[in-house]
Every structure is written in C-alpha cells, then in structure tokens.
Amino acid sequence: MVREQYTTVTEGTHIERPENQHIYKIGIYGWRKRCLYLFVLLLLAILVVNLALTIWILKVMWFSPIGMGHLHVTADGLRLEGESEFLFPLYAKEIRSRADSSLLLQSTQNVTVSARNSEGEVTGRVKVGAQMVEVQSQHFQINSEDGKPLFSAEEQDVVVGTGRLRVTGPEGALFEHSVETPLVRADPFQDLRLESPTRSLSMDAPRGVYVKAHAGKLEALSQMDIILQSSEGVLVLDAETVGLTKLKQGTQGPAGSSNGFYEICACPDGKLYLSMAGEVTTCEEHSHVCL
C-alpha cells in the first residue's frame, strides 16, 4: 500500500522529495488499447452492414408510409393490388374487389370459405373442389339483384321462388317423392311426358286437375289398369267422336238384324262390351261377357 504524506512548509523553504516516489499513469496503453480500437471498428462495421441490409430490405419489399408493396394500409383495412398467394389460412371479416374488377379465388386443390361462431364452431361452409361444389349450412338461399328469393333449401323442403322452373335436360327431371306445383308445361312444339317406370303415378288437387293439349293428342298408357274415378261427380267424355277399340262382343244375333249397329253395354263391375243393336236393348241377352 502506498502511503501519502502531507507536509506544511513556509514560503522559501525547499523540501527534497524521497527518491523512491511512485508515479501512476491514467489510461489504457499497449495491447489493450489496440484491442479496444479494433473492437470499436468492428462494431462500426457491423452497424454499417446492418444499416445497408435494412435499406436493401426496405427497397426490395417496397416499404412506404402507406404500406408494403401492393399491400396498402387504409382507414377501412388492407388494400391489396394484383395477385397474391396465401400459403396458410386467411382470416378476414370482409373480402371484396374493386368496383371495376372481379374477385378471383384460385387453388390447386380446393377453395373453402367457412364461417364460425364465437366458440369457434363452423356454422357455414362453402367448398369448391375439382369434382363438386359442397355447401354446408342450416339454410341455403339464392337471391336476385333486388333481394327477391330465387332458390332456398333447408332440411325439410326446397323452395324455388321464380315464376317458372325450366328443365332442359333430355331425360327431364327425376323426383323420388312428391312434387307440389300449380302448373306443369312443356316448351312450345314439345311433348310433355309424365312417367313412372316402376311405381304408380298420381295427380291430386283439392279443386280439380286440368289436362289440356293445345296442338296434339293426349295419351295415357299403363301396363295394368287405368282408373278414372269421381267420388261425387260424373265422368264426362265430351268430343265429336269417342272411340273404344278392342271391346269384346257378345253373342252374334240373327244375320242382318242389326244392320251393322251395336250398342255399348256395361257390366256391374264397370266392364264394357258390344251387343247387337235391336229394337230394344240386347245387353241382357249377351250379359255372359260379364261372367
């Protein structure tokens, strides 16, 4: 330990200092000084390199005060110009295009748009794939430009809101269950065909069924029976000519007795047959057809 001595002398007195007095030098000298300067130069070089890289990144990514490249930050959200590719799911409240361009969504696999509730459960989903378009929702509805429902589908029923549903396929429309409609009509100069290959065909209406062919004929073909039944009214065949072909004929009467005229007879079960016409009815004479 170095001991410092303080001596008080008067003016003009000369005091000799000890010869072995210790002298301290303040500062960094030698190899420590050179290492410090080298370290400072290294930090300065790293700072310059970082500054250059930052400027280069800003230049390449097109950073600007309003956004980055084609991505602009506006008061309404983000505005993206041109085409963009998203490698992971995109979460957004609203996606729309400019007023003068269309919105295009593309994917090499499929495009899926999902809606979730506050608990994260999917409440609606639209999936566009290579083979089909799948819509998963409790209620699906298509509206017109003025907001009028054109088509809606639920688990219970499907509603077509247009004034006319047109089926243009060559095989027509196939319904596995009943169809409720006020009118079934074919295109002009085209045939209308209602067919049930393996089951029965039933047409019911609370106020009547009206079948009309404006410029053609009406045919009803069946493998078994065709039943025309009215519970309270009558069955009217109103035409200039009513033809009943392939009716059975009763026992032949005397030659020349009918002069080629016949009368139509009906059995109790409704079966019709022909009988030779006479001065009086001959249905009872030939009623063996009903047996």
Side-chain angles (χ1 to χ4, degrees):
M1 175 178 287
V2 178
R3 178 179 298 177
E4 295 183 357
Q5 297 179 356
Y6 298 88
T7 306
T8 303
V9 296
T10 58
E11 185 178 356
T13 305
H14 177 72
I15 299 177
E16 295 183 359
R17 297 182 180 273
E19 297 180 357
N20 56 351
Q21 185 179 5
H22 296 278
I23 300 175
Y24 295 93
K25 297 181 179 180
I26 301 175
I28 301 176
Y29 299 92
W31 63 272
R32 294 184 180 87
K33 184 177 182 180
R34 291 190 293 269
C35 291
L36 179 60
Y37 288 163
L38 181 61
F39 182 71
V40 172
L41 291 177
L42 180 61
L43 290 179
L44 183 60
I46 294 176
L47 179 61
V48 173
V49 172
N50 288 337
L51 182 60
L53 289 177
T54 303
I55 297 175
W56 179 77
I57 292 175
L58 294 176
K59 186 66 176 179
V60 172
M61 300 300 295
W62 295 355
F63 278 98
S64 63
I66 61 175
M68 180 182 66
H70 296 294
L71 183 62
H72 298 166
V73 180
T74 61
D76 299 331
L78 298 179
R79 180 178 179 180
L80 188 60
E81 300 287 346
E83 298 182 0
S84 299
E85 181 178 356
F86 298 92
L87 303 179
F88 297 97
L90 174 64
Y91 298 91
K93 181 180 179 180
E94 181 182 359
I95 301 176
R96 62 182 179 180
S97 63
R98 297 187 308 179
D100 57 347
S101 62
S102 59
L103 178 62
L104 179 62
L105 302 178
Q106 291 183 348
S107 175
T108 56
Q109 298 295 328
N110 58 68
V111 177
T112 303
V113 180
S114 302
R116 300 178 182 270
N117 55 14
S118 58
E119 299 178 356
E121 299 177 354
V122 178
T123 58
R125 174 176 295 172
V126 178
K127 182 179 180 181
V128 181
Q131 301 295 332
M132 66 175 180
V133 177
E134 180 181 353
V135 179
Q136 178 183 352
S137 179
Q138 296 181 356
H139 181 79
F140 177 74
Q141 182 170 330
I142 300 176
N143 297 333
S144 62
E145 185 177 358
D146 55 355
K148 180 181 178 181
L150 300 179
F151 178 85
S152 63
E154 296 180 357
E155 186 177 359
Q156 301 296 332
D157 56 0
V158 176
V159 179
V160 179
T162 58
R164 180 176 60 180
L165 174 62
R166 183 177 181 182
V167 180
T168 59
E171 297 296 332
L174 176 62
F175 301 97
E176 296 182 359
H177 302 283
S178 61
V179 178
E180 182 179 350
T181 178
L183 177 63
V184 178
R185 183 177 61 186
D187 289 338
F189 306 104
Q190 299 293 331
D191 296 335
L192 176 62
R193 186 175 181 180
L194 302 178
E195 180 181 0
S196 179
T198 58
R199 302 292 181 180
S200 61
L201 179 61
S202 175
M203 291 186 294
D204 302 327
R207 300 184 61 181
V209 178
Y210 183 67
V211 182
K212 184 177 182 181
H214 293 278
K217 60 182 180 178
L218 178 64
E219 294 184 1
L221 305 178
S222 175
Q223 181 71 22
M224 302 298 292
D225 299 333
I226 297 179
I227 301 175
L228 301 177
Q229 181 181 359
S230 177
S231 58
E232 297 180 0
V234 296
L235 179 62
V236 180
L237 300 178
D238 186 5
E240 296 181 358
T241 303
V242 178
L244 300 176
T245 61
K246 298 182 181 181
L247 290 180
K248 292 184 178 181
Q249 186 175 352
T251 305
Q252 296 288 342
S257 58
S258 64
N259 297 324
F261 294 100
Y262 297 87
E263 63 176 320
I264 299 177
C265 303
C267 298
D269 59 355
K271 185 184 298 184
L272 300 179
Y273 65 93
L274 295 178
S275 177
M276 290 289 184
E279 295 180 358
V280 295
T281 179
T282 58
C283 290
E284 296 182 358
E285 298 178 2
H286 309 291
S287 60
H288 66 279
V289 178
C290 302
L291 301 177

